[in-house]
Amino acid sequence: MRSRQRMFAAVMRLLLKCLRLGRRRRFKLVRQAEQLWHYGHLCLRSLLYNSFTNGDVVLDSLFEPVYWLVDHVTRWFGVVFVALVIGLTSSIVAIVYICLLPLILQTYTPAWICWHLAYGHWNLIMIVFHYYMAITTSPGHPPQAKDDLTGVSICRKCIAPKPARTHHCSICNRCVLKMDHHCPWLNNCVGHYNHRYFFSFCLFMTMGCIYCSISGWEMFQDAYAAIERMKLLEKERLQVAANQTYYQTPPPAFSFHQRAFHKSVVYLWVLCSSVALALGALTLWHATLITRGETSIERHINRKERQRLQKKGKVFRNPYSYGSWDNWKVFLGVDMPRHWLTRVLLPSPHLPRGTGLSWELPPCMTERHAPLLAL
């Protein structure tokens, strides 16, 4: 009896021991799996961790293929846009010379004829000169050698010195001095050496379009009314011709020359008015930036910096602004009164002030301005 009890107790102890070992082994496997999971998660986070990462960085990364596509399309379509500008401008000039100029010489007084000839040709010369210079002039690029510049940052994309006011153009794939933007209508960047040409082209093109719109307003009204009469007479002619034979069909009320003349005047007025509104708004925007002494890119940077300092109770001062009037003088390269005629009202290929690598106070600015940060 006792031997059976001892045997039963031994079997039970052995069974409990086996269960205890199995439970320990199972717990050990679970712990190892948890350790492997945490280790893998830690490795993944260590590979992807960036203290500067936020929602904006993630969004920019997701849209990077879209940016790449836009940059390359803009680069290849720049030639098309330039050809479009040249074609549209040439068509307007051709209409003025072929259709409007003979009419002006026949109907206007000698004083008005001299005014239109003088102003029209001066405006055309200014448009052609500044557009050609804006296309062919390099905006300026910083030197690639690191020993040439000191105290500047390094561009993360081209791994080269990046002076103040310099930014990288993803379309040109180069850093541009005092970059404002990449203009597809120029197929070129707008920077330090061609910023004045770009703005002058926008200004004189707007002035030319406004001049054509105002001068051709009465002609446009007459041409539009004539086209409406053409449509009405054409409709009546077709109704009469439907009840007559071929030989009894009346001749057209308007000749081909008259139709082309009226449609050309309407085309000229609509195109010039549209360009005057769109380009005029762009010109006013850039004039505001020039008055403030900043570029399109710097406007966004300065706005964020102004908001950041405002929270700290400080005031942001643009270090590249010398005052509204002086900003225009520096931008246009006006050093003396006669330069308003020779460098602003007449075509002038003079270079801008400085090299675009450093921005010291111009010699003509004797008054020292407030520092960058003022409490």
mmCIF file of all heavy atoms in Angstrom, residues 258-279:
data_model
loop_
_atom_site.group_PDB
_atom_site.id
_atom_site.type_symbol
_atom_site.label_atom_id
_atom_site.label_comp_id
_atom_site.label_asym_id
_atom_site.label_seq_id
_atom_site.Cartn_x
_atom_site.Cartn_y
_atom_site.Cartn_z
ATOM 1 N N GLN A 258 -11.433 93.706 -95.449
ATOM 2 C CA GLN A 258 -12.203 94.337 -94.376
ATOM 3 C C GLN A 258 -12.398 93.384 -93.203
ATOM 4 O O GLN A 258 -12.286 93.773 -92.036
ATOM 5 C CB GLN A 258 -13.549 94.805 -94.906
ATOM 6 C CG GLN A 258 -13.452 95.959 -95.880
ATOM 7 C CD GLN A 258 -14.798 96.305 -96.494
ATOM 8 O OE1 GLN A 258 -15.634 95.419 -96.728
ATOM 9 N NE2 GLN A 258 -15.001 97.594 -96.755
ATOM 10 N N ARG A 259 -12.691 92.124 -93.508
ATOM 11 C CA ARG A 259 -12.854 91.140 -92.440
ATOM 12 C C ARG A 259 -11.562 90.969 -91.659
ATOM 13 O O ARG A 259 -11.576 90.935 -90.412
ATOM 14 C CB ARG A 259 -13.292 89.800 -93.035
ATOM 15 C CG ARG A 259 -14.677 89.803 -93.656
ATOM 16 C CD ARG A 259 -14.934 88.495 -94.391
ATOM 17 N NE ARG A 259 -16.219 88.486 -95.038
ATOM 18 C CZ ARG A 259 -17.344 88.051 -94.478
ATOM 19 N NH1 ARG A 259 -17.317 87.592 -93.231
ATOM 20 N NH2 ARG A 259 -18.490 88.077 -95.138
ATOM 21 N N ALA A 260 -10.457 90.845 -92.350
ATOM 22 C CA ALA A 260 -9.167 90.660 -91.674
ATOM 23 C C ALA A 260 -8.816 91.890 -90.843
ATOM 24 O O ALA A 260 -8.279 91.771 -89.727
ATOM 25 C CB ALA A 260 -8.081 90.386 -92.707
ATOM 26 N N PHE A 261 -9.128 93.083 -91.368
ATOM 27 C CA PHE A 261 -8.816 94.313 -90.633
ATOM 28 C C PHE A 261 -9.583 94.376 -89.312
ATOM 29 O O PHE A 261 -9.001 94.622 -88.244
ATOM 30 C CB PHE A 261 -9.150 95.528 -91.502
ATOM 31 C CG PHE A 261 -8.983 96.837 -90.790
ATOM 32 C CD1 PHE A 261 -7.736 97.435 -90.687
ATOM 33 C CD2 PHE A 261 -10.077 97.463 -90.202
ATOM 34 C CE1 PHE A 261 -7.578 98.637 -90.020
ATOM 35 C CE2 PHE A 261 -9.928 98.668 -89.529
ATOM 36 C CZ PHE A 261 -8.678 99.256 -89.444
ATOM 37 N N HIS A 262 -10.886 94.162 -89.355
ATOM 38 C CA HIS A 262 -11.698 94.261 -88.145
ATOM 39 C C HIS A 262 -11.338 93.182 -87.130
ATOM 40 O O HIS A 262 -11.252 93.446 -85.915
ATOM 41 C CB HIS A 262 -13.182 94.173 -88.504
ATOM 42 C CG HIS A 262 -13.669 95.326 -89.331
ATOM 43 N ND1 HIS A 262 -13.421 96.645 -88.999
ATOM 44 C CD2 HIS A 262 -14.383 95.361 -90.490
ATOM 45 C CE1 HIS A 262 -13.958 97.443 -89.902
ATOM 46 N NE2 HIS A 262 -14.564 96.690 -90.823
ATOM 47 N N LYS A 263 -11.110 91.977 -87.582
ATOM 48 C CA LYS A 263 -10.751 90.902 -86.655
ATOM 49 C C LYS A 263 -9.366 91.130 -86.054
ATOM 50 O O LYS A 263 -9.130 90.782 -84.887
ATOM 51 C CB LYS A 263 -10.806 89.559 -87.381
ATOM 52 C CG LYS A 263 -12.210 89.130 -87.761
ATOM 53 C CD LYS A 263 -12.226 87.776 -88.438
ATOM 54 C CE LYS A 263 -13.659 87.368 -88.788
ATOM 55 N NZ LYS A 263 -13.710 86.039 -89.460
ATOM 56 N N SER A 264 -8.467 91.726 -86.814
ATOM 57 C CA SER A 264 -7.132 92.014 -86.282
ATOM 58 C C SER A 264 -7.198 93.075 -85.190
ATOM 59 O O SER A 264 -6.496 92.982 -84.174
ATOM 60 C CB SER A 264 -6.208 92.491 -87.407
ATOM 61 O OG SER A 264 -6.043 91.477 -88.382
ATOM 62 N N VAL A 265 -8.049 94.079 -85.365
ATOM 63 C CA VAL A 265 -8.189 95.119 -84.346
ATOM 64 C C VAL A 265 -8.771 94.537 -83.065
ATOM 65 O O VAL A 265 -8.317 94.851 -81.952
ATOM 66 C CB VAL A 265 -9.062 96.267 -84.885
ATOM 67 C CG1 VAL A 265 -9.393 97.260 -83.769
ATOM 68 C CG2 VAL A 265 -8.371 96.983 -86.034
ATOM 69 N N VAL A 266 -9.776 93.670 -83.197
ATOM 70 C CA VAL A 266 -10.363 93.032 -82.009
ATOM 71 C C VAL A 266 -9.332 92.153 -81.312
ATOM 72 O O VAL A 266 -9.210 92.161 -80.072
ATOM 73 C CB VAL A 266 -11.606 92.213 -82.414
ATOM 74 C CG1 VAL A 266 -12.111 91.388 -81.236
ATOM 75 C CG2 VAL A 266 -12.703 93.137 -82.915
ATOM 76 N N TYR A 267 -8.573 91.387 -82.086
ATOM 77 C CA TYR A 267 -7.514 90.538 -81.518
ATOM 78 C C TYR A 267 -6.479 91.371 -80.776
ATOM 79 O O TYR A 267 -6.055 91.028 -79.660
ATOM 80 C CB TYR A 267 -6.865 89.725 -82.640
ATOM 81 C CG TYR A 267 -5.533 89.111 -82.287
ATOM 82 C CD1 TYR A 267 -5.458 87.951 -81.524
ATOM 83 C CD2 TYR A 267 -4.346 89.704 -82.732
ATOM 84 C CE1 TYR A 267 -4.227 87.393 -81.202
ATOM 85 C CE2 TYR A 267 -3.122 89.138 -82.420
ATOM 86 C CZ TYR A 267 -3.069 87.988 -81.662
ATOM 87 O OH TYR A 267 -1.850 87.448 -81.348
ATOM 88 N N LEU A 268 -6.066 92.490 -81.375
ATOM 89 C CA LEU A 268 -5.069 93.354 -80.741
ATOM 90 C C LEU A 268 -5.584 93.892 -79.415
ATOM 91 O O LEU A 268 -4.866 93.869 -78.405
ATOM 92 C CB LEU A 268 -4.709 94.495 -81.693
ATOM 93 C CG LEU A 268 -3.699 95.536 -81.196
ATOM 94 C CD1 LEU A 268 -2.817 96.003 -82.356
ATOM 95 C CD2 LEU A 268 -4.400 96.760 -80.607
ATOM 96 N N TRP A 269 -6.814 94.399 -79.392
ATOM 97 C CA TRP A 269 -7.323 95.024 -78.174
ATOM 98 C C TRP A 269 -7.531 93.993 -77.064
ATOM 99 O O TRP A 269 -7.187 94.241 -75.912
ATOM 100 C CB TRP A 269 -8.637 95.744 -78.458
ATOM 101 C CG TRP A 269 -9.062 96.629 -77.331
ATOM 102 C CD1 TRP A 269 -8.724 97.935 -77.129
ATOM 103 C CD2 TRP A 269 -9.897 96.250 -76.227
ATOM 104 N NE1 TRP A 269 -9.277 98.410 -75.974
ATOM 105 C CE2 TRP A 269 -10.013 97.396 -75.388
ATOM 106 C CE3 TRP A 269 -10.552 95.088 -75.857
ATOM 107 C CZ2 TRP A 269 -10.762 97.389 -74.224
ATOM 108 C CZ3 TRP A 269 -11.286 95.079 -74.681
ATOM 109 C CH2 TRP A 269 -11.391 96.216 -73.876
ATOM 110 N N VAL A 270 -8.083 92.838 -77.394
ATOM 111 C CA VAL A 270 -8.326 91.809 -76.373
ATOM 112 C C VAL A 270 -7.009 91.295 -75.800
ATOM 113 O O VAL A 270 -6.856 91.156 -74.574
ATOM 114 C CB VAL A 270 -9.153 90.651 -76.967
ATOM 115 C CG1 VAL A 270 -9.242 89.492 -75.984
ATOM 116 C CG2 VAL A 270 -10.552 91.139 -77.329
ATOM 117 N N LEU A 271 -6.022 91.024 -76.658
ATOM 118 C CA LEU A 271 -4.743 90.509 -76.179
ATOM 119 C C LEU A 271 -4.012 91.553 -75.338
ATOM 120 O O LEU A 271 -3.505 91.234 -74.247
ATOM 121 C CB LEU A 271 -3.880 90.091 -77.362
ATOM 122 C CG LEU A 271 -2.493 89.539 -77.024
ATOM 123 C CD1 LEU A 271 -2.607 88.301 -76.151
ATOM 124 C CD2 LEU A 271 -1.705 89.221 -78.290
ATOM 125 N N CYS A 272 -3.961 92.788 -75.796
ATOM 126 C CA CYS A 272 -3.254 93.829 -75.044
ATOM 127 C C CYS A 272 -3.935 94.110 -73.711
ATOM 128 O O CYS A 272 -3.261 94.318 -72.696
ATOM 129 C CB CYS A 272 -3.176 95.108 -75.876
ATOM 130 S SG CYS A 272 -2.051 94.994 -77.283
ATOM 131 N N SER A 273 -5.249 94.119 -73.680
ATOM 132 C CA SER A 273 -5.954 94.366 -72.423
ATOM 133 C C SER A 273 -5.719 93.240 -71.429
ATOM 134 O O SER A 273 -5.511 93.482 -70.232
ATOM 135 C CB SER A 273 -7.448 94.546 -72.688
ATOM 136 O OG SER A 273 -7.677 95.627 -73.562
ATOM 137 N N SER A 274 -5.735 92.003 -71.904
ATOM 138 C CA SER A 274 -5.514 90.862 -71.012
ATOM 139 C C SER A 274 -4.093 90.873 -70.453
ATOM 140 O O SER A 274 -3.882 90.665 -69.246
ATOM 141 C CB SER A 274 -5.781 89.554 -71.762
ATOM 142 O OG SER A 274 -7.092 89.526 -72.292
ATOM 143 N N VAL A 275 -3.130 91.117 -71.317
ATOM 144 C CA VAL A 275 -1.736 91.156 -70.861
ATOM 145 C C VAL A 275 -1.516 92.328 -69.919
ATOM 146 O O VAL A 275 -0.766 92.217 -68.928
ATOM 147 C CB VAL A 275 -0.783 91.224 -72.065
ATOM 148 C CG1 VAL A 275 0.651 91.432 -71.612
ATOM 149 C CG2 VAL A 275 -0.885 89.951 -72.894
ATOM 150 N N ALA A 276 -2.150 93.459 -70.188
ATOM 151 C CA ALA A 276 -1.987 94.629 -69.322
ATOM 152 C C ALA A 276 -2.485 94.332 -67.919
ATOM 153 O O ALA A 276 -1.852 94.739 -66.929
ATOM 154 C CB ALA A 276 -2.729 95.821 -69.916
ATOM 155 N N LEU A 277 -3.606 93.620 -67.782
ATOM 156 C CA LEU A 277 -4.123 93.292 -66.457
ATOM 157 C C LEU A 277 -3.225 92.294 -65.734
ATOM 158 O O LEU A 277 -2.857 92.497 -64.568
ATOM 159 C CB LEU A 277 -5.541 92.727 -66.582
ATOM 160 C CG LEU A 277 -6.630 93.713 -67.020
ATOM 161 C CD1 LEU A 277 -7.955 92.984 -67.210
ATOM 162 C CD2 LEU A 277 -6.787 94.829 -66.003
ATOM 163 N N ALA A 278 -2.867 91.202 -66.416
ATOM 164 C CA ALA A 278 -2.068 90.157 -65.771
ATOM 165 C C ALA A 278 -0.647 90.637 -65.481
ATOM 166 O O ALA A 278 -0.152 90.519 -64.348
ATOM 167 C CB ALA A 278 -2.044 88.913 -66.654
ATOM 168 N N LEU A 279 0.001 91.180 -66.501
ATOM 169 C CA LEU A 279 1.387 91.619 -66.318
ATOM 170 C C LEU A 279 1.461 92.870 -65.451
ATOM 171 O O LEU A 279 2.459 93.075 -64.737
ATOM 172 C CB LEU A 279 2.026 91.867 -67.680
ATOM 173 C CG LEU A 279 3.551 92.026 -67.703
ATOM 174 C CD1 LEU A 279 4.219 90.789 -67.155
ATOM 175 C CD2 LEU A 279 4.034 92.299 -69.126
#
